[in-house]
Amino acid sequence: MSADETQVAPPEDGAGQSAGAILETLSVTKAFGGLTAVDDVNFDIPKNSIVSIIGPNGAGKTTFFNMLTGLYRPTGGRIFFEGRDITYTRPDRILARGMARTFQNIRLFATMSALENVLVGQHARLRAGLFRSIARTPGVRREEREAREKGREILEYVGLQPENVDQMSVNLSYGDQRRVEIARALASDPSLLLLDEPTAGMNPEESKRLTEFMQRLRDDRGLTILLIEHDMKVVMGVSERITVLDHGEKIAEGLPEEVRKNPHVIEAYLGKRESG
């Protein structure tokens, strides 16, 4: 076990071990100076499920994602992934363990091709070290050839047209850039995929196709998917469970229909109604 994973005491009996959960947080908090962005959030996601986190702007959703993936260190609380404490684990090691993500703002290498961006996503699974890469051994060349074949297969799977595989990502449409970003995340062979506003900037037809694709990802690859999303049609159509954050606090959790009717959720989105 790495030093990153031993900075907290071992969990008490049963902690981090919710039955069937691939990810669990216990009282996770993040403060920036005097501002508490995420406050004492308990959360878990069952394996092979699709779960959404929603909430108004500034609710703490992306900060929560950033803690799950190691970009931020929690001020308090603990995070468990597949039963192991990853509270202080580095992002690259969390990725290697099987948790991948996309970002709210697309973060592709603009002057690299779609395929090259996906190859970057495979680095966590490649075996060649520095010496073998410099020496260009037969094993390295074979591994690179297999990586390119896998990259093309993933890009085809996410729906990128063959003629765009070798195009610089900056020249791709917004929808295709989203597909490439998801393909890059899939290239690391994750068991848990985190999607941060994946339909942002998409038209209704593109959003519909992405919703269907998320369901296919779960069914075909046995993935667990956690997403932040503002499009309520997408959320209600794809989610098996929804967690709602507001001002950093969890205010509701449950099935889509339960959350839709929850008065605390209605208030968070629409504000309090004037009495009288």
Side-chain angles (χ1 to χ4, degrees), residues 18-245:
S18 291
I22 190 171
L23 177 76
E24 181 178 12
T25 72
L26 301 178
S27 300
V28 163
T29 298
K30 181 62 180 179
F32 298 96
L35 173 66
T36 301
V38 175
D39 190 6
D40 197 34
V41 172
N42 294 302
F43 172 83
D44 65 80
I45 175 169
K47 289 183 179 179
N48 199 35
S49 65
I50 302 177
V51 172
S52 293
I53 297 176
I54 66 171
N57 289 332
K61 303 181 298 295
T62 296
T63 298
F64 187 64
F65 255 39
N66 287 340
M67 286 190 288
L68 298 181
T69 55
L71 292 178
Y72 291 165
R73 291 193 169 195
T75 306
R78 294 152 110 181
I79 302 170
F80 297 89
F81 178 50
E82 295 191 325
R84 303 187 72 167
D85 192 329
I86 61 164
T87 308
Y88 297 120
T89 302
R90 293 193 329 233
D92 60 312
R93 290 180 175 166
I94 292 176
L95 174 66
R97 290 202 176 281
M99 188 192 305
R101 72 170 291 178
T102 65
F103 290 85
Q104 181 177 348
N105 300 314
I106 295 173
R107 297 189 182 184
L108 296 176
F109 295 100
T111 58
M112 292 171 63
S113 71
L115 178 59
E116 288 168 339
N117 270 281
V118 174
L119 291 175
V120 170
Q122 293 190 52
H123 78 278
R125 298 288 177 252
L126 299 180
R127 297 180 299 275
L130 177 62
F131 174 77
R132 290 174 60 204
S133 298
I134 294 174
R136 303 289 299 158
T137 64
V140 168
R141 292 196 297 270
R142 181 175 63 254
E143 188 174 48
E144 289 179 353
R145 184 171 62 253
E146 291 171 352
R148 286 183 171 276
E149 291 172 358
K150 177 182 175 181
R152 291 183 183 277
E153 289 172 0
I154 295 172
L155 286 168
E156 180 182 2
Y157 181 77
V158 301
L160 192 72
Q161 295 300 311
E163 60 268 22
N164 290 328
V165 169
D166 294 311
Q167 289 287 326
M168 284 196 303
S169 62
V170 69
N171 295 328
L172 298 175
S173 69
Y174 188 87
D176 279 344
Q177 288 183 20
R178 281 285 180 196
R179 292 183 182 90
V180 173
E181 190 176 42
I182 292 172
R184 183 173 63 184
L186 292 176
S188 65
D189 294 327
S191 55
L192 174 61
L193 179 63
L194 281 63
L195 303 174
D196 192 347
E197 297 196 29
T199 67
M202 290 186 175
N203 62 43
E205 182 57 33
E206 288 175 324
S207 295
K208 179 176 180 290
R209 287 200 300 267
L210 184 60
T211 299
E212 294 169 350
F213 175 69
M214 284 189 281
Q215 292 169 326
R216 183 158 58 95
L217 260 182
R218 189 270 309 275
D219 296 339
D220 290 354
R221 299 192 169 214
L223 277 179
T224 305
I225 299 174
L226 176 61
L227 69 148
I228 293 172
E229 186 53 68
H230 280 293
D231 188 329
M232 287 298 104
K233 188 173 182 180
V234 172
V235 170
M236 294 298 168
V238 76
S239 307
E240 293 160 12
R241 195 182 75 199
I242 299 171
T243 296
V244 188
L245 299 181

Side-chain angles (χ1 to χ4, degrees), residues 267 271-276:
E267 180 182 317
K272 286 186 177 179
R273 295 182 177 178
E274 296 279 341
S275 60

